[in-house]
Amino acid sequence: FCLESISAYIIEQLTQVRHSTVRCEISDLPPICTDPPPQQSVNVASERLDAVLAAVYHLSRSDSQRYFGQEKVFLNSRLTLSAAASPKPGDIVSVRGLGRFRYDGIEQTTRKGRLRVFVRKY
């Protein structure tokens, strides 16, 4: 994906990626790229990144923290080592080997003090 203003240059100049020969062309986006994934609601103990990650991918909290130690968690395309970080609405969380999701914020607080948050899992 690129800006239209640079597309002609890329088509002309990009002929090889590492050892593979490539050919570029202009095409329309497939519908799957333009439609956002459906919004899901998950129940979390807190708004910490490790808690949200555990709820989205059905992991234990300690399992989700291992991904931080293995440097596999990215927040908005930047490596994050802090399991205690709080995502903001609109943040994209990527986990190598599991996928990615967009955090859409808190829906409500339950009677027991837990949070229901919205996510869009890709």
Side-chain angles (χ1 to χ4, degrees):
F1 301 102
C2 69
L3 295 174
E4 204 171 312
S5 59
I6 195 74
S7 62
Y9 177 78
I10 292 174
I11 289 170
E12 181 182 314
Q13 297 294 321
L14 184 60
T15 59
Q16 190 170 5
V17 177
R18 293 199 79 180
H19 303 291
S20 302
T21 302
V22 296
R23 181 177 54 88
C24 299
E25 63 184 34
I26 295 176
S27 66
D28 294 327
L29 286 175
I32 195 162
C33 291
T34 57
D35 297 337
Q39 196 172 51
Q40 300 173 343
S41 182
V42 293
N43 194 3
V44 297
S46 70
E47 206 175 10
R48 288 172 47 116
L49 195 52
D50 62 339
V52 176
L53 198 93
V56 170
Y57 294 114
H58 308 292
L59 304 169
S60 69
R61 248 340 238 273
S62 59
D63 285 344
S64 71
Q65 289 176 349
R66 283 192 196 109
Y67 283 96
F68 289 94
Q70 295 171 353
E71 298 184 355
K72 292 185 174 183
V73 181
F74 297 84
L75 183 63
N76 295 325
S77 301
R78 292 182 180 218
L79 176 67
T80 182
L81 301 174
S82 173
S86 293
K88 297 175 199 68
D91 282 353
I92 303 289
V93 180
S94 300
V95 184
R96 285 200 180 136
L98 296 179
R100 67 182 174 136
F101 64 91
R102 186 176 86 188
Y103 179 78
D104 284 344
I106 298 172
E107 174 187 2
Q108 68 181 32
T109 303
T110 66
R111 289 189 298 257
K112 292 186 177 183
R114 293 179 60 87
L115 302 172
R116 300 233 9 113
V117 297
F118 284 128
V119 296
R120 292 181 186 268
K121 193 172 172 182
Y122 293 88

